[in-house]
Amino acid sequence: MSYSIPLESGPLPIAICMLLLLVEMFGFVESVIHYESILGLRDHPLPKIADNEYPDVDIFIATYNEPCDLLRRTINGCTHLHYPDPSKMHIWVCDDNRRPAMRQLAEEMGVGYFDRPDNKGAKAGNLNHALGLTSAPYVVTLDADMIVRSDFLLKTIPYFVDAEKKAFGKPKNEQVRLGFVQTPQAFYDPDVFQHALYAEHIVPNEQDFFYRTIEAAKTSTNSVIYGGSNTILSREALEAIGGFYTESITEDFATGMLIESAGFVSLGLSEPLASGRTPHTFKEHIQQRTRWGRGVIVTARKLKPMSRPGLSIQQRLSYWSSVVYWYSPIKNLIYLCAPLAFAVLGLPVFVCSWLDLLIYWLPMYLAQLFCLRMISGDSVSTKWSGIHEVSVMTKLLVPIAKEAMGITLSTFKVTDKSGTNGRRTVDRRDMRPYVILLLLSAFGVTRVIWLMVEVRAVGLLVILYWLVRNAYYLVMSIFLIDGRDSDGEPVCVVLTRDAAPSVSRIHDRMPVMLSGDAAKAWLNPQADARMALDQALNDMTFHEAAKDDEK
């Protein structure tokens, strides 16, 4: 290893090289943990239980400042859930903002309503308050925008009942107690990347890979991350840890870790059973990611997963990997600056020949591309991962650094899911770091090409590739920050012959992307379905990648 360190070039190149080496080592360990988890990915067939075995379930819809029309859709989805005995299904709107209009909506739709005199503990406190007023053995937590599929409970509750039946009569140390089941957080509208980059039909939502693959794979190490919504939890598990954890702005991440460390098991399913809304602007996306990143880091500092009793080595490493991920802005800054140090300043980052690159770097790089494509089922790639990470780098860098130094974020903004549409507003100051890095990259590319012509150094091709790839990420990040105007609310639905028997263009199950007024009419439970369909047919674009939506 020492021969690749530029020992004769001075302290600055050595320091840059060591930083790069440190990042690569962390990345290698993270990749080993990640791929080891993925190799444990297994199917978990749905157990069969009798209708009379389905237990009581409390469904908590947590809300703070979301509009009533958004909650109406969520409540409407819950009231249309299929369950053998509907009287065992208890729906509660947990309003942490004490709004008369929300209470009226709950009464109008025939569901329960909870509020409380203060906001102590934020969302976790809100859920704990509802927990103390209910008694069902299982609890569903839903965000205000999440619309459940009608078979949501039928495809999750049997896992708990089956686990209880298998544990009955066994000694406590031999019982497998299911603590929670996490289903994917899917979305019925394009995320900020898909929308701003005109990629709605090209790439999946940027959270798909995490929820549908990584979370499901974490079942093998019993380290599934509780995502806060689309989740079913055992009341026994929640009571064993004292309820939802209130000392972190990511109460879900902490609560899941505590449940698993208390001896309960977790299950991640890959089939989406509910869909919601994504942040609609880059600013909202950054606010959400900042809260997640800072919350995960402060949770790790308080709960200490690497030394926490009750967690296995595999669980500890899995949670370590989840925490380290949020330091990626630092990693990406180093990856962007390392080739610039050579191309712009002439500082050698490391010493190697073109043969070294051919033997060591190229096979590793190609294997990484192949493995990522293979395990993700084309739901993620190094290109789109790079765009995602670079685009949030400058905005997350300072907050993550502050949290790492113990400067904790005590308050946060709730992600706006109202979906206000219209012309975008752009803060050009957000583009400045990317424009500067892009100009430096352009200068670096020019200089490297000149060096290749003058010196005939084939090895510089790798530096050139590195610079061009980074420049591409920077350009896409600028486009992303610039955004795109929105004039509607695009939603993917599946039309059937039952919904439109007189329309010959409808096949047995046809995925259709609706937008604007057609989508609003379709989602409005009080709208005339025939009128909504007529509008839909006038404004439809076929969804080419709807395999998952047809499930």
Side-chain angles (χ1 to χ4, degrees):
M1 181 183 69
S2 61
Y3 76 85
S4 64
I5 300 175
L7 297 173
E8 299 179 358
S9 302
L12 185 56
I14 293 175
I16 297 173
C17 180
M18 297 309 294
L19 274 176
L20 188 60
L21 176 62
L22 185 64
V23 168
E24 287 287 288
M25 290 173 64
F26 269 95
F28 175 75
V29 175
E30 192 178 2
S31 294
V32 170
I33 295 171
H34 173 70
Y35 286 117
E36 190 272 339
S37 175
I38 294 295
L39 289 174
L41 184 62
R42 299 288 185 273
D43 288 330
H44 298 276
L46 182 68
K48 293 182 179 180
I49 63 173
D51 286 354
N52 61 1
E53 292 181 307
Y54 281 86
D56 283 76
V57 181
D58 285 317
I59 301 174
F60 296 161
I61 304 172
T63 177
Y64 178 69
N65 62 355
E66 296 83 2
C68 286
D69 64 333
L70 187 71
L71 267 294
R72 183 182 294 276
R73 302 171 191 174
T74 302
I75 298 170
N76 185 62
C78 291
T79 58
H80 285 83
L81 280 166
H82 295 163
Y83 210 60
D85 185 353
S87 67
K88 292 183 177 181
M89 192 173 62
H90 316 286
I91 305 166
W92 306 96
V93 174
C94 305
D95 180 17
D96 222 17
N97 208 4
R98 299 165 288 280
R99 291 164 290 177
M102 196 60 67
R103 179 187 291 273
Q104 182 179 351
L105 175 65
E107 293 175 355
E108 174 191 331
M109 301 195 72
V111 301
Y113 175 87
F114 292 141
D115 63 6
R116 55 187 182 136
D118 55 42
N119 301 100
K120 186 177 180 181
K123 181 181 177 181
N126 187 17
L127 294 174
N128 282 334
H129 177 256
L131 201 64
L133 298 174
T134 54
S135 59
Y138 301 104
V139 172
V140 175
T141 57
L142 292 174
D143 284 345
D145 60 305
M146 284 292 171
I147 303 174
V148 293
R149 263 176 36 179
S150 60
D151 58 353
F152 179 86
L153 294 177
L154 300 180
K155 290 199 171 183
T156 52
I157 290 297
Y159 290 104
F160 290 95
V161 176
D162 184 65
E164 282 194 355
K165 289 164 66 175
K166 289 179 178 177
F168 182 76
K170 290 185 178 180
K172 192 170 183 179
N173 63 339
E174 295 181 13
Q175 294 179 1
V176 177
R177 298 177 297 167
L178 183 56
F180 67 92
V181 172
Q182 179 65 55
T183 71
Q185 290 193 20
F187 303 93
Y188 59 74
D189 54 356
D191 64 35
V192 65
F193 297 93
Q194 294 171 313
H195 179 70
L197 301 178
Y198 296 86
E200 294 95 329
H201 305 294
I202 300 174
V203 295
N205 184 282
E206 53 105 12
Q207 292 192 58
D208 280 359
F209 179 58
F210 172 74
Y211 274 109
R212 302 192 191 189
T213 303
I214 295 178
E215 279 280 72
K218 285 179 177 289
T219 300
S220 64
T221 56
N222 193 28
S223 58
V224 177
I225 295 172
Y226 168 36
S229 184
N230 307 3
T231 317
I232 307 88
L233 302 100
S234 160
R235 184 178 290 267
E236 179 190 1
L238 287 170
E239 290 177 347
I241 64 170
F244 295 91
Y245 187 73
T246 59
E247 301 300 316
S248 171
I249 58 175
T250 49
E251 77 295 325
D252 42 12
F253 180 79
T255 299
M257 185 194 303
L258 290 173
I259 287 175
E260 290 161 349
S261 65
F264 293 85
V265 300
S266 54
L267 172 63
L269 300 179
S270 59
E271 181 182 6
L273 298 173
S275 297
R277 306 201 67 176
T278 64
H280 286 81
T281 68
F282 185 68
K283 182 180 180 180
E284 292 165 6
H285 178 80
I286 291 296
Q287 288 175 350
Q288 184 186 68
R289 292 308 191 270
T290 299
R291 178 171 64 85
W292 289 355
R294 298 190 76 161
V296 166
I297 292 171
V298 74
T299 297
R301 188 163 60 243
K302 289 182 176 181
L303 299 185
K304 299 177 174 56
M306 291 304 290
S307 59
R308 185 166 193 82
L311 293 179
S312 67
I313 292 178
Q314 283 184 310
Q315 287 174 305
R316 292 174 181 177
L317 289 175
S318 180
Y319 274 106
W320 176 86
S321 176
S322 299
V323 175
V324 167
Y325 167 80
W326 289 104
Y327 289 95
S328 61
I330 300 172
K331 173 194 72 175
N332 288 303
L333 181 63
I334 293 172
Y335 281 152
L336 283 170
C337 292
L340 292 176
F342 173 79
V344 176
L345 302 177
L347 299 174
V349 178
F350 55 86
V351 179
C352 66
S353 65
W354 66 269
L355 188 59
D356 295 328
L357 294 171
L358 192 63
I359 294 175
Y360 299 110
W361 175 80
L362 186 60
M364 179 278 300
Y365 184 70
L366 295 177
Q368 182 186 37
L369 292 176
F370 174 76
C371 290
L372 193 58
R373 283 286 188 181
M374 183 179 68
I375 65 175
S376 70
D378 288 335
S379 64
V380 72
S381 66
T382 54
K383 180 183 77 172
W384 283 102
S385 294
I387 294 171
H388 291 157
E389 293 184 4
V390 170
S391 65
V392 302
M393 176 190 67
T394 58
K395 284 295 186 179
L396 291 187
L397 192 61
V398 173
I400 293 301
K402 283 184 177 180
E403 202 63 63
M405 294 185 290
I407 305 174
T408 299
L409 177 68
S410 56
T411 60
F412 64 92
K413 282 188 175 182
V414 177
T415 305
D416 182 10
K417 296 292 184 73
S418 61
T420 302
N421 299 307
R423 294 188 62 82
R424 66 191 186 277
T425 57
V426 182
D427 189 345
R428 303 294 177 185
R429 292 173 296 181
D430 293 341
M431 295 184 182
R432 289 175 186 172
Y434 297 99
V435 171
I436 292 171
L437 287 169
L438 183 59
L439 291 174
L440 290 173
S441 297
F443 176 79
V445 168
T446 303
R447 188 169 182 269
V448 167
I449 292 175
W450 178 80
L451 286 172
M452 288 176 62
V453 173
E454 290 293 316
V455 184
R456 296 184 180 180
V458 180
L460 292 179
L461 274 173
V462 175
I463 298 293
L464 182 63
Y465 170 76
W466 200 352
L467 288 167
V468 171
R469 187 201 66 166
N470 288 348
Y472 172 75
Y473 293 162
L474 293 168
V475 169
M476 298 299 279
S477 298
I478 292 171
F479 285 149
L480 180 62
I481 296 170
D482 186 50
R484 171 184 167 192
D485 291 340
S486 177
D487 59 357
E489 179 186 353
V491 178
C492 183
V493 300
V494 178
L495 302 181
T496 65
R497 286 195 179 277
D498 291 336
S502 62
V503 184
S504 60
R505 290 163 57 190
I506 300 293
H507 302 296
D508 289 337
R509 291 173 64 81
M510 176 183 289
V512 176
M513 185 69 79
L514 310 184
S515 62
D517 293 336
K520 292 177 182 178
W522 184 266
L523 288 172
N524 185 350
Q526 297 178 340
D528 181 79
R530 186 67 57 120
M531 181 180 67
L533 180 60
D534 290 341
Q535 290 177 305
L537 293 174
N538 290 330
D539 191 28
M540 67 164 56
T541 55
F542 294 100
H543 198 306
E544 297 175 351
K547 186 191 307 182
D548 291 331
D549 297 297
E550 293 186 32
K551 290 180 180 178

